[in-house]
Amino acid sequence: MLESVFRRARERGRAAFIPYVMAGDPDLATTAAIFDTLANAGVDAIEVGVPYGDPLADGPTIAAAGVRALRAGTRMAGVLRLVGQGRERGWPPIVLFTYYNPVYRFGIRRLAEAAAAAGVAGVIVPDVALEEGAELRGALIANAVEMPLLVAPSTTRDRASRIAAQATGFVYVVSRLGVTGAGTEPDFSPLGSQIATMRALTDKPLAVGFGVSKVEHVRAVAPLADGIIVGSALIDAYGGSAGEAAAARVRSFVEPLLLGACRS
Amino acid sequence: MRPDSRGYFGEFGGRFVPEVLVGALEELELAMNEAFADPAFWEEYEAILRDFVGRPSPLYAAQRYLAGISAAPLLLKREDLNHTGAHKINNTVGQGLLAQRMGKRRIIAETGAGQHGVATATVGAKLGMTVDVFMGASDVERQALNVYIMNLLGARVHPVTGGTQTLKDATNEAFRQWAAHVEDTFYVIGSVVGAHPYPYMVREFQKVIGVEARSQCLARYGRLPSDVIACVGGGSNAMGIFAGFVDDPGVRLWGVEAAGEGLEGAHTAASLGAGSVGVLHGSRSYLLQDADGQVSETHSISAGLDYPGVGPEHAYLKQTGRATYVAVTDAQALEAFFALAALEGIVPALESAHAIAFARELALERDSDDLIVVNLSGRGDKDIDQVRSAYPSRSAE
């Protein structure tokens, strides 16, 4: 259960640190090496992107990583095989991040069953908002796979309440309008009230993502949120390299961020 | 028909967008419903269509194109005579007025060949709004004239370098920009695609084509046509004309997709003819995709039809059998392009030429006094450079 990820991090005095990695960028062997590195570094969970060519919620970094992964032939089945090695290799809980069309074509029930078999902890599909999610949510829950949902700064309080009620594992708090990516310097000042609103609505863990790219950002978010998701900046750090070289870059990028997630 | 409360035509449509956009779509739907119920909104829309766009467009009886096949003329709904040269402006006038009513000062749009971009820039200039147009980098290069016109009209054109650098990627980027500036920005989608309420809203703004064509046909001939034909890319000109006839069970509706080099190969743009069900740009419909749900690259000689998806209401009309969808190849469309120019004195857009080509095939099967209506959705000036470079000596033939 993903809730335990956040509980354990809290017991260690920090926000859960959850890096995002695009599977198959530039190949699945590199992704496995990166997962080993992240596990050794002590990250709390890993979000893994299943590449899609038309990612509406993603900025240029993740979109380009997806193109590289697709070019290398990465598809859903291959990502699930990779994740399936997690138990024996000691990887932390893994959450898939992908889009509705690859899920729909794979088959919603088939994906739920295959994800469960591979030991996937959760599945995030950002273009499936609350109203369209019933079928996928039902299939995942039936297979004990969780489905975190997103709330955005533009989400009304009433809607956020319904989203929090339906989310399982955690609620993904999008920190700003727009898409993923390290871009202009983010303004986390509204985040405090956004988190406070969510706390009043739910006891579920709150993980913050979109635009969190530097150790200062992690330090700013850690006291507020239960978890922090960093994607584009990590991909910027290792993009263009492969294998152990990529894993080494990931290690040096992630270590200060992990420290930044400590609340003391 | 109206889609259901969740935006579905049967099993097609819906609202598959990131959470950040849901509020904006709900706000748009509310504003649209209010505007649609307000006679003053439609009065203003109609006045602009009359005085600025030049409506009603004629239903022209072309006498020579079907000579030897049919005794009846081919009835051409002359959307090519609209201001800016295509049906696109009917929709941008409507959405521009709605944006103004909602107090949005900035409008954004995607464009492929540039027709919708020009129509949006035109309305933006008229209404005094800031316009940003997203256009695939390779289209920016191929359609330099339209880029210049958009600039002339005061719009900024942003080349999109991601993906295939064409309409699909321009649409992705417009959605992302909308997500980032959702509070002050109105996204003017150019076809009956996208998340609810866009497919319904755009069709309502294009319905004027079908409403006019129906009453023009009745007034002149005292009867309805046997068939109505329109080309289908995203499908807005087709939904516009179909909407006027969909409740007349005796009128057969034909959507003509771009087969490109043929339906069997990879070089096609016929989403309904060669695609399968999936989700693209916010709604469930047919699309060209691989077995893993990755959207395919498409091909058509006509930039306006070169799109991997199609509006959800078309998917519904296909499923229910109310409309029939066929496909015409690049070569057949070109032949019709040349024929209409030489026989009727009308140079059609390559998009519309697909519908013109199918009209000839259909006329062969019809009684000789059956009336066939074709939506001549746009004029062909924009295509002249492309056709001329492929056929430099056509004038001598």
Side-chain angles (χ1 to χ4, degrees):
Chain A
M1 301 297 275
L2 283 163
E3 291 212 19
S4 63
V5 165
F6 297 91
R7 196 180 56 241
R8 276 199 304 273
R10 188 165 56 243
E11 285 161 9
R12 291 174 195 162
R14 58 187 172 88
F17 183 75
I18 307 172
Y20 170 102
V21 178
M22 176 62 75
D25 168 30
D27 51 59
L28 286 171
T30 297
T31 309
I34 290 173
F35 284 4
D36 284 339
T37 298
L38 291 171
N40 287 333
V43 306
D44 300 283
I46 298 172
E47 208 176 283
V48 57
V50 182
Y52 177 55
D54 296 275
L56 284 189
D58 285 306
T61 296
I62 290 179
V67 169
R68 292 192 295 268
L70 287 171
R71 220 175 272 147
T74 312
R75 298 294 187 270
M76 185 70 80
V79 179
L80 290 168
R81 272 196 301 277
L82 171 77
V83 175
Q85 304 169 33
R87 287 189 195 102
E88 59 188 69
R89 292 177 78 150
W91 293 339
I94 288 176
V95 178
L96 301 186
F97 186 104
T98 188
Y99 285 84
Y100 185 70
N101 204 48
V103 169
Y104 178 71
R105 295 300 295 178
F106 192 84
I108 285 176
R109 217 181 111 188
R110 181 178 161 219
L111 175 76
E113 289 167 1
V120 167
V123 177
I124 298 173
V125 188
D127 57 343
V128 174
L130 191 62
E131 291 76 5
E132 302 288 359
E135 187 186 1
L136 180 57
R137 198 156 50 236
L140 290 172
I141 287 170
N143 286 279
V145 178
E146 299 189 307
M147 186 173 171
L149 298 175
L150 293 83
V151 294
S154 54
T155 305
T156 60
R157 187 187 164 94
D158 172 57
R159 192 176 161 78
S161 163
R162 284 182 283 133
I163 290 171
Q166 294 292 334
T168 46
F170 63 94
V171 179
Y172 192 136
V173 178
V174 175
S175 67
R176 59 156 192 225
L177 298 176
V179 293
T180 61
T184 49
E185 199 52 29
D187 174 14
F188 291 113
S189 55
L191 188 64
S193 67
Q194 201 185 350
I195 295 276
T197 303
M198 293 308 299
R199 293 282 186 220
L201 298 173
T202 183
D203 294 330
K204 289 173 186 166
L206 306 176
V208 171
F210 283 46
V212 185
S213 63
K214 296 178 183 166
V215 67
E216 303 91 273
H217 307 158
V218 172
R219 281 199 205 106
V221 174
L224 302 169
D226 302 302
I228 298 167
I229 300 163
V230 176
S232 298
L234 175 61
I235 290 171
D236 284 335
Y238 76 79
S241 59
E244 289 307 322
R249 289 190 192 184
V250 165
R251 183 166 195 102
S252 53
F253 177 79
V254 157
E255 278 176 345
L257 268 58
L258 259 167
L259 284 174
C262 292
R263 297 204 177 97
S264 53
Chain B
M1 72 179 282
R2 263 198 89 123
D4 71 17
S5 61
R6 293 170 58 230
Y8 279 87
F9 301 92
E11 64 184 89
F12 303 105
R15 189 176 274 171
F16 293 86
V17 292
E19 172 61 26
V20 62
L21 289 175
V22 171
L25 289 163
E26 287 177 345
E27 181 195 4
L28 173 62
E29 188 180 0
L30 267 177
M32 175 196 77
N33 285 335
E34 278 171 24
F36 281 9
D38 179 1
F41 177 80
W42 291 112
E43 272 165 33
E44 192 176 5
Y45 167 78
E46 279 157 20
I48 294 174
L49 289 190
R50 183 186 65 231
D51 302 332
F52 185 67
V53 174
R55 300 203 74 90
S57 66
L59 185 69
Y60 174 67
Q63 302 293 341
R64 298 184 66 206
Y65 181 71
L66 294 182
I69 296 174
S70 172
L74 181 63
L75 303 180
L76 302 177
K77 182 59 176 163
R78 296 293 305 274
E79 294 299 300
D80 61 317
L81 295 178
N82 290 340
H83 182 39
T84 73
H87 72 291
K88 291 287 185 187
I89 195 151
N90 304 324
N91 170 46
T92 58
V93 166
Q95 290 197 52
L97 287 176
L98 189 54
Q100 195 177 52
R101 193 181 162 99
M102 292 172 74
K104 310 275 183 186
R105 300 298 309 156
R106 174 181 180 241
I107 56 183
I108 59 170
E110 83 294 341
T111 197
Q115 295 307 103
H116 174 59
V118 167
T120 306
T122 299
V123 168
K126 179 186 156 37
L127 298 178
M129 300 172 119
T130 305
V131 179
D132 289 290
V133 177
F134 298 90
M135 187 170 185
S138 82
D139 286 336
V140 168
E141 210 165 291
R142 286 189 295 190
Q143 308 287 340
L145 182 64
N146 272 340
V147 173
Y148 184 79
I149 294 171
M150 285 185 269
N151 288 332
L152 198 65
L153 292 162
R156 287 177 297 212
V157 179
H158 305 271
V160 174
T161 53
T164 52
Q165 308 193 352
T166 57
L167 177 58
K168 168 176 79 78
D169 307 284
T171 307
N172 290 342
E173 197 53 32
F175 267 107
R176 292 178 186 129
Q177 288 291 325
W178 195 30
H181 304 282
V182 71
E183 283 154 340
D184 67 348
T185 297
F186 188 105
Y187 179 17
V188 179
I189 293 188
S191 192
V192 287
V193 300
H196 180 62
Y198 280 103
Y200 166 68
M201 176 173 71
V202 175
R203 183 252 278 168
E204 288 300 289
F205 287 137
Q206 292 293 0
K207 193 167 135 181
V208 60
I209 305 171
V211 170
E212 283 177 9
R214 186 177 190 277
S215 74
Q216 287 165 324
C217 188
L218 282 175
R220 179 149 176 190
Y221 299 97
R223 59 194 165 107
L224 290 170
S226 60
D227 301 87
V228 172
I229 303 171
C231 64
V232 176
S236 69
N237 92 80
M239 272 325 305
I241 198 161
F242 288 180
F245 297 95
V246 74
D247 295 328
D248 299 311
V251 179
R252 280 155 292 197
L253 307 176
W254 301 89
V256 185
E257 294 192 297
E261 292 171 10
L263 283 185
E264 293 74 26
H267 301 280
T268 181
S271 319
L272 291 162
S276 51
V277 175
V279 164
L280 177 67
H281 295 147
S283 56
R284 174 182 279 130
S285 184
Y286 278 78
L287 61 135
L288 292 161
Q289 59 183 332
D290 68 14
D292 298 301
Q294 302 293 338
V295 180
S296 306
E297 286 191 39
T298 54
H299 166 81
S300 167
I301 191 172
S302 136
L305 304 182
D306 203 352
Y307 178 70
V310 64
E313 195 172 2
H314 284 297
Y316 177 73
L317 293 177
K318 172 190 161 91
Q319 191 183 53
T320 58
R322 179 64 190 92
T324 307
Y325 294 85
V326 296
V328 155
T329 63
D330 289 349
Q332 292 170 306
L334 262 176
E335 200 177 307
F337 175 90
F338 291 129
L340 200 73
L343 294 172
E344 300 288 357
I346 297 170
V347 178
L350 282 174
E351 290 80 1
S352 322
H354 286 73
I356 299 289
F358 178 70
R360 203 179 168 83
E361 277 180 43
L362 188 67
L364 288 167
E365 300 170 9
R366 289 288 175 265
D367 292 343
S368 73
D369 62 344
D370 279 348
L371 295 169
I372 297 175
V373 172
V374 173
N375 196 12
L376 191 64
S377 54
R379 66 177 183 231
D381 306 46
K382 68 184 176 64
D383 300 314
I384 296 298
D385 276 352
Q386 185 188 352
V387 175
R388 191 178 60 167
S389 64
Y391 298 89
S393 63
R394 184 71 192 185
S395 60
E397 286 173 23

